[in-house]
Amino acid sequence: MQRDKQTLKKPLGAEETDGWKMLEKKLLACLHSCCLILVALQPESQPTTSDETVVAGGTVVLKCQVEDPDDSSLQWSNPAQQTLYFGEKRALRDNRIQLERSTPNELTISISDVVLSDEGEYTCSIFTMPVRTAKALVTVLGIPQKPQIFGHEQPIDEEKIARLTCRSSGSKPAAQLRWKKGNKELKDEGTEVVEDPNGKTFTVSSRVEFRVTKEDNEAEVTCTVDHESLQNSERSTTQKLQVHYKPTAKIEPHPQYPREGEKLQLQCDGQGNPIPREFLWEKEGSDVPLQLSSDSVLIFPFLNKSDSGTYVCTATSSMGSVVAKYNLDVSDASPVPSTSSTYHAVIGGVVAVIVFLLLSLLIVLGHYLIRHKGMCIRHGEMVTSRHRQNSAKVMCTYLTHEAKGSDDAPDADTAIINAEGGQAGGDDKKEYFI
């Protein structure tokens, strides 16, 4: 009985020892896990980075910071896990990658001339126990190419539907396209996005449709690409529409007021797109056409009354024909006064007024001279002024109304006669010419 008890006690002691060992192992494992958790939760040992976006061809700066480096070094690696810089030591021979700053708490590098293949996650690591890391996602924007417009190469007939396509490649992410005709926005009929062969960029296509009129000829249609890589600028392409429309015509006479016997030209002014190249001249009431050629002018070298009538010009282009009419009236009616005739009439009136004034002045002057006439007497003869040139002594008598009392004479002649009759009885005013 005692032997059995001893046998039973021995196994119980072994199990108890094994249990304590198991408990000890579990406690050590738990303590180690807790220590790892505490270390991981220490913020001063965790590096920090930031995601960056860069336009293809630009420069991106990657900064890694840690508050407590714990005497450890920082390292940058590319998406392929190739080390770029370990502390201040260059690890990859790529001249585009440069060291900007290296301290125990910071490691900053830059990558210039960025290409699409540089896109991805870059890793900053600090070599503590265990190693701790932080990720920085670099996004590279693909710049869209200048858009191209298709469908405008051939002229469009008026009232037909214009169908235009705009396309731009190389954008990442896919760009947006918009349309304008003049200053008016056009709504697109649909957009298509296709991945480029490089697997990174996209080609975007947009379509518009609208009915054209003659007013749309030479109108500017613009396609613009919008993308974040353009940085508030835009790329656009402008094309002019060519619209074919029916011609118009009118007849212009030269000169404007035709007269009999003059030369007359009738100009058939044809407009349109394309411009009319064929002109048919006819006279209403005549079965024979007057002229059919590319010349739009009908010439009358010498107008006659028989040329009066209605003339018809038919202008023709590839878009159709148009008719213009002109009523020619050649008659003996008074010609329309021209500017030169009016000018001559004004000149004639001025000359007539001047002649009238001169005649009036001569009449007044003659009347004045008659009333104040002087006489010279030589040996009883009356001598006129031309005889005064003789050197002989001449006695002149100057007679006036006042001297002879002729105030009541009806005219100058009577006054002179009265004056001669009264010479003996009155005192004369005398002048002597030598």
Side-chain angles (χ1 to χ4, degrees), residues 5 22 117 159 210 262-263 314 325 328 379:
K5 288 181 180 180
M22 290 290 294
S117 59
E159 302 302 328
F210 55 93
E262 292 183 343
K263 179 181 178 180
T314 304
K325 295 184 178 182
L328 175 61
H379 304 294

Side-chain angles (χ1 to χ4, degrees), residues 91-362:
L92 186 66
R93 292 183 178 180
D94 189 342
N95 293 330
R96 300 181 305 132
I97 304 173
Q98 297 294 327
L99 178 65
E100 299 294 332
R101 181 179 175 84
S102 177
T103 68
N105 300 87
E106 179 182 339
L107 179 60
T108 301
I109 64 173
S110 64
I111 306 174
S112 60
D113 297 328
V114 174
V115 295
L116 294 173
S117 59
D118 291 327
E119 185 175 82
E121 279 190 343
Y122 288 75
T123 305
C124 176
S125 306
I126 181 169
F127 287 90
T128 58
M129 291 301 294
V131 177
R132 294 170 179 82
T133 60
K135 302 288 186 180
L137 177 62
V138 174
T139 302
V140 181
L141 301 178
I143 303 175
Q145 297 177 2
K146 185 176 181 178
Q148 294 179 304
I149 299 177
F150 305 93
H152 64 91
E153 295 82 2
Q154 299 296 327
I156 308 169
D157 293 346
E158 65 175 332
E159 302 302 328
K160 296 293 182 67
I161 301 297
R163 294 178 174 87
L164 305 179
T165 301
C166 179
R167 184 174 298 125
S168 175
S169 302
S171 59
K172 177 182 175 298
Q176 299 290 327
L177 300 177
R178 53 187 172 90
W179 292 88
K180 290 178 72 175
K181 185 180 72 171
N183 295 323
K184 181 181 179 182
E185 295 281 349
L186 293 177
K187 183 179 179 181
D188 65 352
E189 299 295 328
T191 301
E192 181 182 12
V193 179
V194 178
E195 189 177 65
D196 292 335
N198 60 20
K200 296 181 178 295
T201 58
F202 301 90
T203 295
V204 183
S205 301
S206 176
R207 295 180 297 104
V208 291
E209 295 182 0
F210 55 93
R211 190 179 301 276
V212 299
T213 63
K214 62 182 298 184
E215 287 75 18
D216 291 324
N217 187 47
E218 297 294 327
E220 292 185 343
V221 177
T222 303
C223 176
T224 302
V225 56
D226 294 324
H227 195 262
E228 53 188 308
S229 66
L230 299 178
Q231 301 176 351
N232 298 325
S233 62
E234 64 179 30
R235 288 188 174 183
S236 61
T237 296
T238 299
Q239 296 291 344
K240 287 187 177 181
L241 294 177
Q242 292 294 324
V243 179
H244 280 179
Y245 54 91
K246 295 180 179 179
T248 60
K250 63 179 180 179
I251 299 176
E252 294 286 348
H254 303 281
Q256 186 175 3
Y257 302 103
R259 298 169 55 187
E260 185 178 10
E262 292 183 343
K263 179 181 178 180
L264 174 65
Q265 293 184 353
L266 296 182
Q267 172 76 42
C268 187
D269 185 13
Q271 301 293 329
N273 189 24
I275 297 175
R277 297 299 182 185
E278 183 179 272
F279 300 89
L280 173 63
W281 284 98
E282 298 174 294
K283 183 178 181 181
E284 287 188 351
S286 176
D287 297 332
V288 180
L290 301 177
Q291 180 177 297
L292 175 61
S293 69
S294 60
D295 190 358
S296 62
V297 178
L298 182 64
I299 300 177
F300 297 84
F302 190 86
L303 277 178
N304 294 314
K305 293 181 181 180
S306 59
D307 293 324
S308 299
T310 301
Y311 289 84
V312 180
C313 171
T314 304
T316 303
S317 72
S318 61
M319 292 299 295
S321 299
V322 64
V323 173
K325 295 184 178 182
Y326 175 76
N327 186 29
L328 175 61
D329 183 15
V330 181
S331 64
D332 293 333
S334 300
V336 177
S338 62
T339 305
S340 60
S341 299
T342 305
Y343 176 77
H344 294 157
V346 172
I347 295 298
V350 172
V351 171
V353 171
I354 294 174
V355 171
F356 174 77
L357 293 176
L358 290 175
L359 291 175
S360 300
L361 182 60
L362 289 174

Side-chain angles (χ1 to χ4, degrees), residues 370-422:
I370 290 173
R371 294 187 61 186
H372 298 80
K373 183 176 181 182
M375 296 180 295
C376 295
I377 301 174
R378 181 176 58 186
H379 304 294
E381 298 178 359
M382 185 175 68
V383 181
T384 61
S385 60
R386 68 176 182 272
H387 295 139
R388 295 179 186 178
Q389 297 176 358
N390 195 330
S391 59
K393 185 175 180 180
V394 179
M395 182 184 69
C396 293
T397 302
Y398 183 72
L399 304 177
T400 63
H401 293 288
E402 293 82 0
K404 302 303 174 184
S406 57
D407 291 333
D408 296 331
D411 52 32
D413 295 336
T414 305
I416 293 172
I417 294 172
N418 293 337
E420 291 177 351

